[in-house]
Amino acid sequence: MTSNILMDFLKIPEKYHCVQQFNQSVIFASQRTKEYIGFKDPESKLKINNSMLTDIFLMTYINRSVQCKLTESISCTKMTEEQTILLGTDWVWAVQDTSSKNPKVQIAVQAIHMENKEDQAMKMRFQATESLKLARQETINKTDPEKFNDFCSSIGKDCYGLFLFFGCKGDPKSICGILSNDFHTHLGNGQEVDNTYLLDCIEKAKTFVTPGKMLELILQKEGVPDNLKPTYVKFTQ
């Protein structure tokens, strides 16, 4: 009994170190992406779209996480364009079980650029391939949040959905998000999980958590079937 308690105690610093490294990597990626959100092209030739911001964020995060040797504990899987259309998901973070290397918990992310008015035109431009056309046709009757919720629900309660906003009303350079593993309850009550609902969650939130605290919160609930109500996560400082 004493031996088991000691083993559990010895594991705490490792988990805490993992959380700290994740927090630093995500905040570093957020600050770098913020620079691009606020960039003003004097010739108005550069159009910052959601896909570009997502790539900047992910490449910065992945480079930093590799430097920190975080990839052994937390994997990051970027979806293909077809997968993003079908599943409403841009990437997935997975916390690995050290022995089996299977995911213990996952965070699926849907990135949204509030200030971007070019997205629809960009989507229309990049539908030339047959696979993209088929993916769009397959999900034509579902919104992105509905597809995203279906994806998270298909994995189970240990998959958390994170709607990540590149810019918000009143603070266009901020990066923040709403996290939950219970969005399907809201949808089940006949209500929409759309930008209006998500922004309302942010505006009503009295407190926020950092990316590190977000991961801590999820790991604390590991193996517990309780639903996590929408939580406001702030990525930029």
Side-chain angles (χ1 to χ4, degrees):
M1 182 68 176
T2 304
S3 176
N4 288 338
I5 293 173
L6 181 61
M7 290 296 290
D8 289 340
F9 176 77
L10 291 174
K11 289 179 183 176
I12 292 173
E14 182 181 349
K15 181 181 284 189
Y16 180 74
H17 178 72
C18 171
V19 169
Q20 286 294 94
Q21 294 285 17
F22 176 78
N23 185 67
Q24 292 171 13
S25 297
V26 173
I27 288 178
F28 185 77
S30 299
Q31 293 300 125
R32 175 58 57 86
T33 310
K34 180 180 178 179
E35 295 172 10
Y36 286 87
I37 296 176
F39 177 76
K40 300 295 182 184
D41 178 15
E43 297 184 4
S44 298
K45 292 181 179 178
L46 179 63
K47 301 296 183 183
I48 302 291
N49 58 56
N50 196 56
S51 177
M52 186 184 298
L53 292 174
T54 298
D55 288 344
I56 292 167
F57 184 98
L58 279 180
M59 290 308 300
T60 307
Y61 166 80
I62 290 170
N63 285 337
R64 183 63 178 258
S65 65
V66 168
Q67 291 171 1
C68 296
K69 298 182 179 178
L70 184 61
T71 52
E72 296 176 6
S73 305
I74 301 176
S75 66
C76 182
T77 304
K78 184 184 187 300
M79 299 295 177
T80 65
E81 193 168 354
E82 288 86 354
Q83 288 172 326
T84 295
I85 292 169
L86 286 168
L87 306 174
T89 304
D90 291 293
W91 73 86
V92 178
W93 280 309
V95 181
Q96 310 286 353
D97 179 74
T98 51
S99 56
S100 68
K101 297 301 180 183
N102 292 325
K104 290 193 292 187
V105 293
Q106 299 180 70
I107 305 173
V109 182
Q110 182 181 117
I112 304 164
H113 185 198
M114 291 300 294
E115 297 298 314
N116 181 36
K117 297 177 182 176
E118 301 285 332
D119 270 355
Q120 195 57 42
M122 293 293 286
K123 284 180 182 178
M124 296 303 291
R125 264 209 268 158
F126 290 105
Q127 58 177 345
T129 67
E130 193 62 32
S131 61
L132 287 178
K133 288 180 181 179
L134 289 172
R136 293 187 199 286
Q137 188 62 37
E138 186 72 23
T139 58
I140 196 168
N141 294 321
K142 286 189 176 182
T143 65
D144 285 344
E146 286 173 338
K147 290 182 284 185
F148 183 62
N149 180 73
D150 287 346
F151 173 71
C152 294
S153 297
S154 69
I155 296 174
K157 286 292 184 183
D158 60 349
C159 180
Y160 294 78
L162 174 66
F163 289 94
L164 186 148
F165 288 90
F166 291 126
C168 277
K169 185 171 63 175
D171 191 2
K173 294 182 185 178
S174 70
I175 299 176
C176 57
I178 292 293
L179 174 87
S180 179
N181 65 343
D182 196 32
F183 287 120
H184 68 279
T185 299
H186 191 79
L187 284 167
N189 291 332
Q191 299 170 291
E192 297 232 358
V193 176
D194 53 14
N195 289 354
T196 302
Y197 165 74
L198 296 167
L199 290 173
D200 191 52
C201 288
I202 292 173
E203 290 177 1
K204 287 181 178 178
K206 296 179 181 179
T207 59
F208 66 84
V209 299
T210 64
K213 287 292 183 183
M214 171 189 75
L215 187 58
E216 275 185 22
L217 184 64
I218 290 173
L219 292 176
Q220 286 169 7
K221 296 179 75 69
E222 182 186 325
V224 180
D226 292 349
N227 297 333
L228 179 69
K229 292 182 179 179
T231 301
Y232 173 35
V233 187
K234 190 169 176 61
F235 291 83
T236 44
Q237 300 174 333

